[in-house]
């Protein structure tokens, strides 16, 4: 790889051993991916910047300490650009929920203190774009969370490849990323077309569409025909669905997303070679994958995968207002700390909490699948296709996909209707 003098100096240790190690990772990764150079990055989303749980299954005390040392080392180095973090391993407002003990809390506080100096913003959310980190068109980024990478590439026109926790950390510290894939105009072309012929009524429908498209796309780039502009909540579900069944870096919606004015503009030969129809039957097939039986007992209703917007919180509050969650049922709204504070100020959080619901900030249940309280869940209902998919795969409980209204109704009756 061709390195500039400045990059070679970092590699040679001009800024210390840790930045040198970080740059070496980026060079090795770039060479493996066929990148010819490293380019400046302006916006990053590192992951795993959270104190590991001391009950983490299978990890020895030494492994946990080594890991903590690694993230402390990262937080000790100044970041060169915008850096907001992916979710944490527990809710700092409610540490008991994830069994986070005093050591873990102290370690987390230490990270917060270090981050104050380094400049990293510990937002601990899978939707940084709801916490004020909104990359601009053409901006070079290094983001982790899979759906968020698709979202910023597709809907904002920013440019990010899919990053690991380590490469995003390395990018934030060194200020560089290897140039390949979606960072290049040629790497942003579509590979297949999904022809949507069904009426898209709810956010959940967009998640189902993404789930269908991800299966066909795998790591390629899908484009969609037949869609109108949608609200951010629907876009979030579409990207999460694509990133659940596949590993796409971006998607296009013809006539809607900024780089897809026409099919001719995004397909290499001006038109798609593969076309898949998504009509009522295909929509129904996804719903049947996550169907509940009428009358089936539900023990957790989960909103906020990906982390909820303020508008979603408002809608949930309106639906649950004056009602009561079934005794023993968990009603969870996951979001970032800042949006929970806003919802509290505006009264929407109180409505949800008075009905028996609770907020989960900074994290999500999939961060602690080893905890008995999550393993005890038999059936989760959610409007997020990614959450119900992983409820089955990671928590081992049944996931039912439903609209927000259907899920709220299940929370009140304790049964799937
Ligand atoms: Fe976020 Fe957890 Fe879903 S990290 S995207 S709420 S699986």
């Amino acid at each position: 790889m061709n390195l500039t003098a400045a990059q070679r100096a970092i590699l040679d240790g001009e800024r210390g051993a840790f930045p040198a190690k970080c740059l070496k990772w980026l060079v090795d990764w770039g060479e493996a991916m066929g990148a010819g150079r490293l380019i400046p990055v302006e916006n990053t989303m590192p992951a795993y910047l959270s104190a590991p749980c001391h009950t983490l299954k299978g990890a020895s005390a030494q492994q946990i300490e080594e890991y903590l040392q690694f993230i402390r080392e990262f937080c000790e180095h100044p970041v060169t650009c915008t850096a907001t973090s992916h979710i944490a391993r527990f809710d700092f407002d409610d540490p008991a929920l994830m069994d986070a003990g005093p050591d873990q809390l102290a370690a987390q506080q230490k990270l917060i203190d270090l981050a104050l100096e380094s400049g990293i913003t510990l937002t601990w959310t899978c939707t940084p774009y709801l916490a004020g980190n909104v990359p601009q068109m053409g901006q070079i980024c290094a983001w982790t969370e899979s759906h968020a990478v698709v979202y910023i590439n597709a809907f904002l026109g920013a440019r990010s490849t899919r990053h690991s926790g380590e490469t995003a950390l390395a990018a934030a510290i060194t200020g560089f990323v290897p140039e390949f894939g979606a960072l290049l105009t040629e790497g942003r072309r579509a590979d297949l077309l999904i022809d949507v012929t069904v009426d898209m009524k709810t956010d959940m429908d967009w998640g189902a569409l993404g789930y269908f498209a991800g299966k066909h796309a795998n790591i390629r780039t899908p484009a969609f025909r037949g869609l109108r502009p949608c609200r951010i909540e629907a876009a979030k579900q579409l990207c999460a669905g694509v990133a659940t069944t596949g590993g796409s870096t971006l998607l296009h919606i013809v006539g809607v997303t900024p780089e897809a004015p026409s099919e001719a503009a995004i397909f290499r030969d001006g038109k798609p070679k593969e076309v898949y129809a998504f009509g009522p039957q295909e929509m129904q097939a996804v719903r049947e994958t996550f169907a509940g039986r009428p009358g089936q007992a539900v023990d957790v209703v989960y909103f906020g995968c990906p982390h909820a917007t303020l508008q979603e919180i408002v809608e949930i509050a309106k639906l649950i207002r004056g009602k009561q969650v079934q005794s023993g049922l968990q009603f969870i709204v996951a979001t970032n700390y800042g949006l929970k504070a806003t919802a509290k100020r505006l009264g929407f959080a109180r409505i949800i909490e008075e009905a028996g619901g609770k907020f989960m900030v900074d994290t999500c249940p999939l961060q602690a699948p080893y905890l008995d309280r999550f393993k005890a869940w038999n059936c989760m209902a959610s409007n997020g296709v990614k959450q119900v998919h992983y409820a089955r795969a990671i928590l081992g409980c049944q996931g039912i996909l439903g609209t927000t209204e259907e899920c709220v109704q299940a929370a009140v009756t304790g049964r799937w209707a």
Side-chain angles (χ1 to χ4, degrees):
M1 185 183 295
N2 294 321
L3 297 183
T4 63
Q7 292 162 352
R8 196 154 289 287
I10 297 173
L11 199 58
D12 291 342
E14 185 186 66
R15 282 166 46 187
F18 193 68
K21 182 163 72 175
C22 289
L23 202 90
K24 176 80 167 67
W25 289 342
L26 295 171
V27 169
D28 288 350
W29 181 40
E31 286 180 343
M33 300 307 290
R37 60 178 184 162
L38 298 178
I39 58 171
V41 64
E42 291 186 330
N43 189 315
T44 60
M45 179 198 182
Y48 313 131
L49 292 176
S50 170
C53 184
H54 285 226
T55 55
L56 196 59
K57 205 173 171 188
S60 68
Q62 189 190 341
Q63 284 171 320
I64 287 172
E65 184 46 41
E66 281 170 8
Y67 180 77
L68 252 179
Q69 184 48 36
F70 166 72
I71 50 178
R72 267 192 229 115
E73 201 169 12
F74 168 73
C75 288
E76 279 163 7
H77 288 83
V79 291
T80 59
C81 58
T82 302
T84 55
S85 62
H86 204 326
I87 58 169
R89 292 190 169 78
F90 62 96
D91 178 343
F92 205 61
D93 273 2
D94 184 7
L97 186 71
M98 302 289 205
D99 282 358
D103 291 358
Q104 200 178 354
L105 275 173
Q108 191 87 330
Q109 185 58 56
K110 172 80 176 157
L111 292 176
I112 293 173
D113 296 342
L114 289 172
L116 269 177
E117 301 303 320
S118 74
I120 183 165
T121 317
L122 294 175
T123 41
W124 288 318
T125 179
C126 48
T127 52
Y129 50 88
L130 299 179
N133 185 359
V134 186
Q136 298 299 291
M137 182 96 185
Q139 195 174 25
I140 302 298
C141 303
W143 279 36
T144 48
E145 163 56 29
S146 56
H147 97 275
V149 170
V150 178
Y151 179 78
I152 63 168
N153 274 306
F155 286 89
L156 306 183
R159 297 190 170 201
S160 177
T161 55
R162 289 165 61 102
H163 276 257
S164 68
E166 292 84 352
T167 58
L169 292 172
I173 285 188
T174 62
F176 296 105
V177 281
E179 187 184 42
F180 66 90
L183 303 192
L184 297 160
T185 299
E186 189 54 28
R188 299 177 70 82
R189 293 198 177 271
D191 298 299
L192 65 154
L193 183 73
I194 310 290
D195 189 17
V196 182
T197 56
V198 64
D199 198 12
M200 304 293 286
K201 296 195 183 90
T202 68
D203 301 338
M204 183 207 67
D205 291 346
W206 289 75
L209 171 60
Y211 198 82
F212 170 87
K215 280 186 177 170
H216 290 293
N218 197 345
I219 61 168
R220 300 178 300 162
T221 298
F224 297 86
R225 172 202 284 160
L227 294 175
R228 292 190 305 273
C230 62
R231 66 185 204 146
I232 190 170
E233 292 78 9
K236 191 166 67 104
Q237 290 302 336
L238 177 67
C239 297
V242 165
T244 298
T245 44
S248 302
T249 305
L250 78 159
L251 58 82
H252 298 286
I253 303 178
V254 178
V256 174
T257 52
E259 292 167 72
S262 64
E263 288 176 26
I266 50 170
F267 285 100
R268 277 182 191 85
D269 300 324
K271 55 182 191 301
K273 290 200 175 87
E274 278 176 54
V275 181
Y276 300 92
F278 185 79
Q281 275 185 330
E282 287 75 19
M283 174 80 83
Q284 187 56 25
V286 177
R287 285 215 67 177
E288 278 169 13
T289 306
F290 300 107
R293 293 187 314 279
Q296 181 176 356
V298 172
D299 44 11
V300 56
V301 170
Y302 182 92
F303 297 107
C305 177
H307 275 178
T309 65
L310 185 59
Q311 180 59 24
E312 285 175 300
I313 296 169
V314 170
E315 288 164 9
I316 294 162
K318 281 183 175 170
L319 288 167
I320 199 75
R321 184 175 205 153
K323 298 180 182 138
Q324 204 58 43
V325 168
Q326 187 68 210
S327 169
L329 185 142
Q330 301 286 310
F331 185 93
I332 298 171
V333 181
T335 189
N336 70 63
Y337 177 78
L339 284 186
K340 179 189 166 188
T342 306
K344 195 171 169 188
R345 167 67 61 87
L346 300 177
F348 298 108
R350 181 175 46 75
I351 292 171
I352 290 170
E353 287 169 347
E354 282 178 359
K358 80 184 285 341
F359 280 82
M360 179 184 275
V361 298
D362 301 343
T363 190
C364 94
L366 303 182
Q367 284 297 298
Y370 44 83
L371 290 180
D372 288 344
R373 74 174 57 90
F374 298 138
K375 280 197 290 197
W377 288 349
N378 289 314
C379 180
M380 170 198 282
S382 177
N383 59 357
V385 74
K386 182 175 177 180
Q387 189 70 203
V388 292
H389 175 90
Y390 286 120
R392 185 186 290 173
I394 296 177
L395 299 178
C397 78
Q398 188 190 347
I400 300 179
L401 180 65
T403 64
T404 307
E405 287 85 348
E406 288 168 342
C407 292
V408 169
Q409 190 185 354
V412 172
T413 63
R415 306 242 158 224
W416 191 250

